[in-house]
Amino acid sequence: MTYSRLATAGLAATLVIVSGSLIAQQKEIAFDSAGDFLKLPADIHFGEVAGVATTSTGNVWVYNQGGGLNLTVGAARLHPAGGARLFEFDRSGKFLREIGSTNEERPYGFRWAQGVRVDAQNNVWVVDRGSRTIMKFDPSGRILMILGRTPEAIGEIG
């Protein structure tokens, strides 16, 4: 009985000492907010932003889960479409374009945004979790490569 009380008291004292030293180590990180740096057109809104990348010229690519994901029931599985959107802004935050401005023009693989990167040649790479693909676009927005394969409509459940 005495040992358990001693152990409890020792643990409480350790927690007080450790938490006190952690609180003493916390420092405020100074920052300046850019506010509404990225200026979207009035009819477009950000959803969950999955990734941000910049080009060598300072343009900013934002890959986000903007619209609602649409699901269509197929023979053996659900078919997700839409939702993920890829926007480009100039270095001042001005909206330049969207790759695939309507659902009909969006690449087949734009389903659920995962991440975006820009390589040394300013090619844009996006990872789409919903279609299980990685897509490479040239700087003009043309698809150069697709890695992975969207699941088949038949034979896969769930």
Side-chain angles (χ1 to χ4, degrees):
M1 198 56 102
T2 306
Y3 177 76
S4 65
R5 288 183 185 166
L6 182 60
T8 304
L11 179 61
T14 303
L15 289 175
V16 168
I17 292 168
V18 169
S19 65
S21 65
L22 289 177
I23 291 171
Q25 292 177 7
Q26 291 179 352
K27 295 181 181 178
E28 185 174 326
I29 300 173
F31 68 94
D32 291 324
S33 174
D36 293 330
F37 172 69
L38 300 176
K39 297 155 192 76
L40 284 165
D43 61 335
I44 297 177
H45 305 282
F46 277 131
E48 175 186 344
V49 174
V52 177
T54 57
T55 65
S56 63
T57 61
N59 285 2
V60 178
W61 284 98
V62 178
Y63 191 37
N64 79 105
Q65 197 62 32
L69 184 64
N70 300 319
L71 294 173
T72 304
V73 178
R77 69 177 180 91
L78 296 175
H79 301 274
R85 300 176 85 171
L86 183 60
F87 301 127
E88 184 179 19
F89 300 87
D90 69 11
R91 62 184 324 129
S92 69
K94 178 184 170 196
F95 179 81
L96 297 177
R97 64 183 168 145
E98 175 184 358
I99 290 184
S101 58
T102 66
N103 280 336
E104 292 79 30
E105 295 173 359
R106 281 198 195 118
Y108 175 67
F110 275 22
R111 294 186 177 172
W112 194 266
Q114 179 72 33
V116 61
R117 297 288 183 267
V118 177
D119 64 22
Q121 293 77 36
N122 286 325
N123 296 310
V124 180
W125 295 75
V126 296
V127 178
D128 191 273
R129 184 173 55 208
S131 64
R132 301 180 187 171
T133 59
I134 298 171
M135 290 163 275
K136 177 183 178 182
F137 297 90
D138 70 8
S140 70
R142 196 183 79 191
I143 295 177
L144 297 178
M145 181 188 325
I146 298 176
L147 302 171
R149 183 174 176 177
T150 301
E152 298 293 332
I154 305 296
E156 183 175 322
I157 298 177

